[in-house]
Amino acid sequence: MKKKMRVMTEKPLNAETPVEHLRPWVTDNDVFFDRNQGQIPEEPIDLSAWKLVVDGEVETPLTIGFDEIYRMPKAIVSNTLECSGNSRSLLPEKSRGNPWTVGGVGNAVWGGVWLRDVLNRARLTEGARHVAFEGFDKSLGSAQIRFIRSIPVRKAMESTLLAYEMNGEFLPVKHGYPLRALALGWTGANCAKWLSRITVLEKPYEGFFMDKVYRVFQKGQASEAGEVVAEIRLKSIITQPRVNETLQPGTVTVLGAAYAGEGDVAAVEVSVDGGGSWAPANFLGPHEPFAWRQWQYIWEVTEKGDYTIMARATDADGNPQPMRGQWNVLGYGNNGVHEHAIAVTIA
Ligand SMILES: Nc1nc2c(c(=O)[nH]1)N[C@H]1C(S)=C(S)[C@@H](COP(=O)(O)O)O[C@H]1N2
Ligand SMILES: [Mo]
């Protein structure tokens, strides 16, 4: 079967995963969503020439080759990656950016080294507060702005992976070969691909991709006044049946996935009457930190008619997923229950 992505733009490549490919716990590399601000490297990447520079607020600046990375202690972790703008097009009011539906997300098993091990080798100075990542992808557009963003030192030292493997293979080129950052449980914008430089800073990096975008702000507000996107928000998505599908009376297996960033999903409930009543869904498959949980709800339906199916997740601290997403100029972080409801017909 040819796996077709839903392409939103070709250059740069921005494409989402069709929802039926989000049913397995692991999202196949072939259908993992693509999000690029610049150009995916087209020239063959020579591993022996590749270098990672670590500089800035460190006692010993480093230049590390790939062999050296490969010989360091290894970590294997699962992590659900979501683009900050995922589900943007499901908001009732239009916002700026790629029109993602639900497919700007995927879960993979990543292999690599902990960023803390690299930073400990370089030894952080007293003043170290933020860690900036730079990739070697070429920028697109006349402004030639490079995709550089930073994360707080706490996150960098606690739970950030430098990944060279994705689902048991070397990273595919379009997902950041040979090395990418993964701030576990944080949105994709914090997970630089094609890493070439890590610079430790005394304060957050200042630049277009830190200050003008990837911030949650309202109309009439300066982008800089908004909060920087960080942790992935609690959300549940329905992956079966399909939107507007027509089904027969009988047993309908409703499938979905729920995720909570750095947190844990404790429960998912399903409503088949537009939010009037709720019943618990059952979890399926692996339960790992930073990874989504697959769930199912067996719906016995006898009456023909039009139905709205909703899913609502609750995290381990008892926080419920919000019933409505919160609009913002760039449409980030839409995790509303209503926005993710699906209509089906029983006929
Ligand atoms: N170097 C570089 N890294 C990048 C980007 C980019 O344009 N250039 N896009 C970011 C964004 S916004 C997202 S959502 C993720 C997407 O990762 P994927 O294409 O592997 O799914 O990569 C991030 N890392
Ligand atoms: Mo993103």
Side-chain angles (χ1 to χ4, degrees):
M1 180 180 63
K2 180 107 172 64
K3 295 176 174 174
K4 265 228 168 304
M5 299 292 282
R6 182 178 156 256
V7 177
M8 296 175 290
T9 64
E10 297 268 2
K11 207 181 162 150
L13 178 63
N14 287 304
E16 71 172 355
T17 309
V19 70
E20 62 271 23
H21 293 304
L22 300 178
R23 290 173 196 161
W25 187 69
V26 161
T27 312
D28 204 272
N29 291 357
D30 289 349
V31 288
F32 206 92
F33 78 94
D34 302 295
R35 171 71 183 109
N36 298 288
Q37 292 283 1
Q39 170 113 41
I40 296 171
E42 284 174 335
E43 301 293 311
I45 297 158
D46 179 1
L47 257 198
S48 60
W50 176 88
K51 295 269 183 281
L52 176 68
V53 171
V54 182
D55 62 4
E57 291 296 319
V58 293
E59 304 290 350
T60 322
L62 307 171
T63 301
I64 312 178
F66 193 78
D67 277 355
E68 231 176 309
I69 296 268
Y70 215 53
R71 285 197 304 267
M72 287 177 65
K74 183 174 182 178
I76 299 180
V77 293
S78 52
N79 181 57
T80 296
L81 188 69
E82 183 180 41
C83 183
S84 321
N86 193 29
S87 302
R88 171 187 285 131
S89 76
L90 305 176
L91 286 164
E93 197 189 334
K94 207 176 149 41
S95 58
R96 216 185 313 146
N98 288 305
W100 300 99
T101 63
V102 294
V105 66
N107 184 56
V109 177
W110 311 85
V113 298
W114 290 112
L115 174 56
R116 85 172 77 86
D117 289 346
V118 172
L119 294 178
N120 283 338
R121 273 178 64 180
R123 289 184 295 130
L124 298 177
T125 66
E126 290 277 302
R129 294 289 177 274
H130 260 249
V131 178
F133 301 110
E134 181 173 347
F136 59 82
D137 47 330
K138 283 207 207 86
S139 5
L140 285 171
S142 51
Q144 291 291 306
I145 306 164
R146 303 193 59 79
F147 185 83
I148 306 176
R149 291 179 41 81
S150 68
I151 61 170
V153 146
R154 180 198 64 78
K155 181 65 182 168
M157 295 299 279
E158 268 176 24
S159 49
T160 297
L161 192 76
L162 301 180
Y164 50 74
E165 265 177 24
M166 181 178 185
N167 294 329
E169 298 169 7
F170 277 107
L171 272 185
V173 169
K174 62 188 187 142
H175 296 298
Y177 180 88
L179 194 69
R180 79 175 298 169
L182 284 174
L184 304 180
W186 285 29
T187 63
N190 299 289
C191 303
K193 301 190 274 188
W194 309 292
L195 263 187
S196 58
R197 179 179 227 111
I198 295 173
T199 304
V200 183
L201 303 169
E202 289 180 308
K203 53 186 173 63
Y205 180 77
E206 286 172 21
F208 181 84
F209 292 109
M210 282 302 281
D211 301 325
K212 297 296 174 197
V213 293
Y214 301 119
R215 287 189 187 247
V216 177
F217 59 98
Q218 299 299 322
K219 274 182 197 150
Q221 210 184 11
S223 59
E224 290 86 346
E227 231 179 286
V228 175
V229 298
E231 199 182 342
I232 293 172
R233 294 184 184 172
L234 177 67
K235 183 195 275 195
S236 186
I237 60 172
I238 298 165
T239 57
Q240 183 182 296
R242 303 286 306 268
V243 175
N244 296 329
E245 202 171 323
T246 299
L247 305 152
Q248 287 171 0
T251 302
V252 174
T253 301
V254 181
L255 296 178
Y259 44 98
E262 293 180 336
D264 195 17
V265 178
V268 173
E269 296 158 289
V270 172
S271 170
V272 290
D273 57 6
S277 61
W278 296 85
N282 297 313
F283 290 117
L284 297 172
H287 180 198
E288 290 286 325
F290 307 109
W292 64 19
R293 298 185 77 176
Q294 297 283 333
W295 55 261
Q296 74 177 335
Y297 174 73
I298 309 299
W299 178 27
E300 302 295 347
V301 52
T302 48
E303 268 186 48
K304 294 181 178 177
D306 293 330
Y307 292 86
T308 298
I309 310 177
M310 290 179 175
R312 175 173 75 181
T314 303
D315 73 15
D317 297 324
N319 301 305
Q321 180 184 344
M323 291 305 291
R324 305 267 172 196
Q326 289 169 345
W327 189 87
N328 55 93
V329 172
L330 299 177
Y332 293 136
N334 174 18
N335 63 341
V337 170
H338 277 277
E339 285 83 349
H340 291 83
I342 68 161
V344 296
T345 301
I346 306 293

